[in-house]
C-alpha cells in the first residue's frame, strides 16, 4: 500500500480567500447583533444521520419542560426537503429551514437572512443545525458563539482522527447513539485518545437522543453558556 | 416555521465551471485508459461511517475466495490518516491511500495520480472509495464507469430524499447495516419510496458488511459489470 498526497490546489486558494472574506464580514455583523441581544448561538456540525435533528428535538422538548429555561430558536440547513424544520417546529415556535440546493454547508449570508425571519425579542439560545457534513461546514464562520461537533457510535471510532479540523475547532464534542454501543464495534478509548491528541481541552459528552442518556449534562452546558453570554 | 431559499451563489458559478472543465479533461483521459485496459471502475460514495471501508473489506475478501473472480485494486480518499488504506491492504495487493488534506471529495487529478501508482496488468475491477461525504463527491467526474451510492439504516430513512443528486446519479444504491434494523427506527418503505420518486430504475441492494447479508447479490452485480466492460 502506498500513499500519495493530493496535487496542489493552489489555483483555488485565492478564490477561496475572497469567498471567505465576504463570508466573514457578514458573520461579524451577525455576531454583533447576537451579542447585543444577549443570545448564545451555536453551530451544530455532524455527519448525515449522526442524529443532529433528533438531539435538537430532545433538547427543545427538555427545555420546554424546564422552568426558567432560555427561550430557544432554531435554524436548520439541508440540500432538500423541510423535514428537519418540520420536526423541530413541533417543539419550538421559532424555526427556519434553510434550503441550500447543492450547497454542502451553511454560509454566513444564509444564516443572516434566516435570522432576519425570526422574532428574537425573548430568545436566549439559537441553535443552527448545519448541513449534514463533517468537512465543509468547518471553517465557515457563521457569526455564532460556539461550534458543537456531533459524532455517533454507529459511524465508527475513527471519525475524530479522520476529521481533525472539526475536532480542533469544536468548543464541545457530543458522542451520540450510545444506546447502540452493545450492537456495534466502537472502541471508546481509541476515539477519546484521538480527540485528546487533537484537542486536549475539549469537553466530550456521551448522549443518546433516543433514550435521553446524557441530556442533562448537555443542557447544563447550554444553560451555563447562555448565562455566560448575557 | 418558514422556509428561506439560499441567496444566489452566482458569483461562484464561473469559477466552479472552470474547475469542473479541468477536472473533466483529466477524467476523460482516465476513462480512455481504463476502457483500453478493460477495467471496470466504480466510485463508492457514502456518508462518514456508512460502512464504505467495511463493505470493501468484505468484498475483497469474498473476491479472493472466489475462483476466477476479477483481480481488484482500490483507491481510498480521506482528509487524514491512512487507516482505511491499511484495512483494505489486508485483502488486496494494489491499494493507494489518497490524502486530501482539507479536500471534501476526490477529484480526477488525484485519482489519475493514484492510478499511476498501481500495477494494472492483471486488474479487472477498480474500487474508488471517495471521501466520506454525501454531497461534494457527486458531480465530480473521476473517469470511472459507475457511481455506487451507499446509505446506512443507522443514518435514518430520510437520507435519500435529502441527497437527491446522489440518488439521481447512482448506477446502484446499497443500503448497509441491515443487521441493525431491529435496533433503530428506519421505515424501509419511506426510504424506497423516495428512491423510486428520484430515480425509478436504480437497483437497490440491502447488505450488511458485518454479517455478509446481501453480499452475493452485490458481487454478482460487480462481476456482471466487469464482464460487460471487457
Amino acid at each position: 500500500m502506498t500513499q500519495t498526497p493530493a496535487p496542489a490546489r493552489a489555483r483555488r486558494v485565492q478564490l477561496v480567500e475572497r469567498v471567505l472574506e465576504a463570508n466573514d464580514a457578514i458573520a461579524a455583523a451577525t455576531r454583533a447583533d447576537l451579542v447585543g441581544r444577549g443570545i448564545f448561538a451555536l453551530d451544530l456540525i455532524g455527519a448525515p444521520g449522526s442524529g443532529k435533528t433528533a438531539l435538537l428535538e430532545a433538547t427543545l422538548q427538555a427545555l420546554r419542560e424546564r422552568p426558567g429555561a432560555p427561550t430557544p430558536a432554531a435554524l436548520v440547513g439541508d440540500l432538500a426537503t423541510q423535514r428537519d424544520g418540520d420536526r423541530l417546529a413541533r417543539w419550538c415556535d421559532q424555526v427556519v429551514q434553510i434550503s441550500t440546493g447543492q450547497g454542502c454547508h451553511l454560509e454566513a449570508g444564509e444564516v443572516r437572512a434566516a435570522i432576519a425571519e425570526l422574532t428574537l425579542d425573548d430568545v436566549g439560545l439559537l441553535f443552527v443545525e448545519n448541513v449534514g457534513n463533517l468537512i465543509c461546514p468547518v471553517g465557515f464562520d457563521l457569526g455564532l458563539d460556539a461550534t458543537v461537533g456531533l459524532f455517533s457510535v454507529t459511524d465508527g471510532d475513527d471519525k475524530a482522527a479522520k476529521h481533525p479540523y472539526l475536532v480542533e475547532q469544536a468548543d464541545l464534542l457530543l458522542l451520540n447513539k450510545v444506546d447502540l454501543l452493545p450492537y456495534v464495534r466502537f472502541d471508546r478509548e481509541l476515539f477519546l485518545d484521538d480527540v485528546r491528541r487533537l484537542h486536549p481541552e475539549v469537553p466530550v459528552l456521551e448522549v443518546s437522543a433516543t433514550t435521553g442518556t446524557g441530556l442533562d449534562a448537555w443542557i447544563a452546558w447550554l444553560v451555563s453558556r447562555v448565562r455566560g453570554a448575557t
Side-chain angles (χ1 to χ4, degrees), chain A:
Chain A
M1 209 267 294
T2 56
Q3 186 167 19
T4 181
R9 292 174 186 242
R11 68 201 151 107
R12 265 176 279 167
V13 168
Q14 280 195 312
L15 307 176
V16 170
E17 280 175 359
R18 284 209 298 275
V19 169
L20 286 177
E21 273 174 27
N23 182 82
D24 289 354
I26 299 170
T30 297
R31 182 169 286 114
D33 285 353
L34 293 174
V35 169
R37 289 176 173 275
I39 296 173
F40 174 68
L42 66 85
D43 184 5
L44 181 61
I45 298 178
S50 56
K52 297 179 295 302
T53 311
L55 177 78
L56 291 185
E57 284 182 289
T59 305
L60 292 167
Q61 189 173 4
L63 287 171
R64 186 178 275 196
E65 293 163 0
R66 184 176 290 238
T71 301
L75 312 179
V76 53
D78 275 302
L79 273 66
T81 83
Q82 59 177 52
R83 293 184 192 184
D84 286 358
D86 290 340
R87 287 168 62 186
L88 299 184
R90 293 173 58 210
W91 307 106
C92 181
D93 297 330
Q94 301 276 341
V95 176
V96 176
Q97 173 84 48
I98 303 171
S99 299
T100 64
Q102 294 186 303
C104 53
H105 59 275
L106 289 177
E107 298 192 6
E110 292 164 328
V111 168
R112 189 153 178 77
I115 287 175
E117 307 212 12
L118 296 171
T119 303
L120 291 175
D121 295 344
D122 299 322
V123 169
L125 179 53
L126 174 63
F127 297 102
V128 178
E129 180 186 332
N130 220 306
V131 178
N133 187 327
L134 277 175
I135 307 169
C136 312
V138 180
F140 271 85
D141 186 6
L142 304 179
L144 313 181
D145 296 291
T147 299
V148 176
L150 180 67
F151 291 98
S152 155
V153 302
T154 57
D155 286 345
D157 47 33
D158 58 351
K159 293 302 171 293
K162 285 179 155 197
H163 300 89
Y165 307 106
L166 174 58
V167 174
E168 288 163 6
Q169 178 177 310
D171 298 282
L172 174 71
L173 292 178
L174 299 173
L175 180 60
N176 192 25
K177 305 194 191 182
V178 292
D179 56 301
L180 295 176
L181 276 170
Y183 311 112
V184 297
R185 282 176 289 190
F186 186 92
D187 184 335
R188 184 193 266 119
E189 292 311 310
L190 178 64
F191 176 82
L192 292 174
D193 283 350
D194 286 331
V195 170
R196 294 287 161 248
R197 175 175 52 79
L198 292 163
H199 190 166
E201 302 82 17
V202 68
V204 181
L205 299 178
E206 299 189 9
V207 297
S208 166
T210 307
T211 65
T213 301
L215 283 189
D216 283 347
W218 153 239
I219 287 173
W221 183 86
L222 287 170
V223 170
S224 75
R225 293 301 299 261
V226 174
R227 287 202 185 118
T230 52

